[in-house]
């Protein structure tokens, strides 16, 4: 059973057809990228996989079950948005701790897990800062830590490394691949960066105007004449 499956999925907003009949299957533990020009429907696909939007037609399934029938707190899929909306009134620590506390984690666990996550994204020592006091790249890393802290089975990332400098981008790429390898997280990764998609992905889909035009391994996609 695929971890994530789209079957005949369409999404229209008024007269805009954002997604026009997409079929995709992402295997458990796979690193799957979505590529394509701005406006081709990548974010809309992610939002439907996260259950934030309902398809106008077709179905999205997680482990074989229709996503819109699974209660939000049990979907076990976290999404990091392009505009990494942090809670502005909360400290870095509280932003990252949010999902753990909502699940009733105890203080010791919260402290340990948040510490581990902030270490991972190179923000140890910034626990008390507010989002406005951080650079864009730092905020982006808080958003990643917040999405990872619950150890979700699947992570949906919408251009998550765009605001990072080269060194941090490389470090975060390594960290995401480590999570795939060691923890078995399934990734759907939206990027404009072909080099990034090439090095990170097991498979990728190239979208254009709401449709998937190519799908396969990076070799399949880049070596096709
Ligand atoms: P991108 O760089 O992915 O093209 P956009 O700025 O187009 O980002 O879209 C960001 C978000 O704004 C989308 O995920 C979508 O939910 C929303 N959005 C995009 N276009 C419209 C629109 N025409 N009307 C309302 N909301 C929109
Ligand atoms: P991408 O992520 O590939 O840039 P999007 O999924 O954000 O593309 O958008 C696909 C199309 O749907 C665009 O034409 C966008 O303007 C439109 N769109 C996205 N979200 C909305 C929305 N909430 N309302 C109206 N139009 C939208």
């Amino acid at each position: 059973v695929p971890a994530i499956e789209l079957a005949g999925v369409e999404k229209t907003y008024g007269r805009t057809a954002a997604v026009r009949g997409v079929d995709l299957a992402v295997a458990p533990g796979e690193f799957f990228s979505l590529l394509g020009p701005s406006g081709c429907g990548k974010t809309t696909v992610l939002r439907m996989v996260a259950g934030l939007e309902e398809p106008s037609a077709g179905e999205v399934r997680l482990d074989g079950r229709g996503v819109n029938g699974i209660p939000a707190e049990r979907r076990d899929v976290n999404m990091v948005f392009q505009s990494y909306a942090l809670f502005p009134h909360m400290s870095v620590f509280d932003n990252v701790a949010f999902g753990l506390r909502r699940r009733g984690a105890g203080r010791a666990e919260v402290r340990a897990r948040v510490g581990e996550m902030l270490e991972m994204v190179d923000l140890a020592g910034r626990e008390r800062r507010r989002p406005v006091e951080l650079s864009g790249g730092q905020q982006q890393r808080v958003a990643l830590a917040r999405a990872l802290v619950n150890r979700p089975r699947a992570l949906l990332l919408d251009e998550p490394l765009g605001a990072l400098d080269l060194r941090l981008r490389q470090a975060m790429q390594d960290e995401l691949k480590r999570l795939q390898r060691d923890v078995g997280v399934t990734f759907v990764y939206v990027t404009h960066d072909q080099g990034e998609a090439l090095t990170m992905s097991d498979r990728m889909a190239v979208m254009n105007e709401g449709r998937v035009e190519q799908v396969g391994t990076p070799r399949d996609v880049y070596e096709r004449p």
Side-chain angles (χ1 to χ4, degrees):
V1 181
I4 296 166
E5 189 176 15
L6 286 81
V9 169
E10 300 177 16
K11 182 70 184 177
T12 54
Y13 296 103
R15 261 182 272 167
T16 306
V19 174
R20 316 173 185 224
V22 165
D23 298 295
L24 281 177
V26 179
E30 189 170 30
F31 200 111
F32 192 94
S33 293
L34 284 178
L35 275 152
S38 187
C40 72
K42 305 180 297 294
T43 301
T44 303
V45 165
L46 283 197
R47 292 176 58 83
M48 288 190 286
V49 173
L52 301 173
E53 308 254 15
E54 277 201 61
S56 310
E59 193 177 41
V60 177
R61 302 185 194 108
L62 303 178
D63 298 318
R65 294 181 59 198
V67 63
N68 298 104
I70 307 173
E73 69 279 8
R74 298 191 42 210
R75 278 182 203 137
D76 219 9
V77 165
N78 281 348
M79 178 159 172
V80 177
F81 298 92
Q82 199 171 16
S83 50
Y84 29 85
L86 300 175
F87 304 118
H89 59 292
M90 287 187 196
S91 68
V92 165
F93 186 97
D94 290 339
N95 263 280
V96 177
F98 185 80
L100 288 175
R101 286 177 172 149
R102 201 172 49 173
R103 290 194 179 186
R107 280 182 75 181
E109 186 190 353
V110 169
R111 207 174 289 177
R113 292 282 300 148
V114 173
E116 187 186 323
M117 286 299 114
L118 290 177
E119 201 71 55
M120 181 192 92
V121 298
D122 203 14
L123 286 174
R126 316 267 169 148
E127 288 79 359
R128 290 167 186 281
R129 301 290 177 87
R130 303 279 152 160
V132 299
E133 300 174 87
L134 303 177
S135 71
Q138 289 172 332
Q139 291 183 40
Q140 209 165 24
R141 284 179 282 145
V142 175
L144 275 168
R146 189 176 62 176
L148 286 164
V149 76
N150 276 331
R151 300 192 167 110
R153 294 186 56 204
L155 261 185
L156 314 176
L157 302 176
D158 195 351
E159 305 242 15
L161 310 183
L164 304 186
D165 67 37
L166 195 60
R167 184 187 64 83
L168 271 169
R169 175 181 281 250
Q170 184 72 57
M172 289 306 306
Q173 287 174 349
D174 293 346
E175 194 56 44
L176 296 178
K177 290 301 284 182
R178 191 193 64 75
L179 287 164
Q180 182 200 11
R181 196 178 56 239
D182 298 350
V183 187
V185 177
T186 305
F187 285 90
V188 183
Y189 194 85
V190 166
T191 180
H192 275 112
D193 182 339
Q194 296 200 358
E196 187 171 81
L198 184 67
T199 57
M200 304 274 286
S201 313
D202 298 313
R203 288 189 309 138
M204 56 208 283
V206 182
M207 290 186 68
N208 192 31
E209 297 187 348
R211 293 193 177 84
V212 172
E213 294 202 323
Q214 279 185 290
V215 59
T217 64
R219 275 184 90 137
D220 293 338
V221 169
Y222 286 110
E223 290 180 7
R224 190 165 302 187

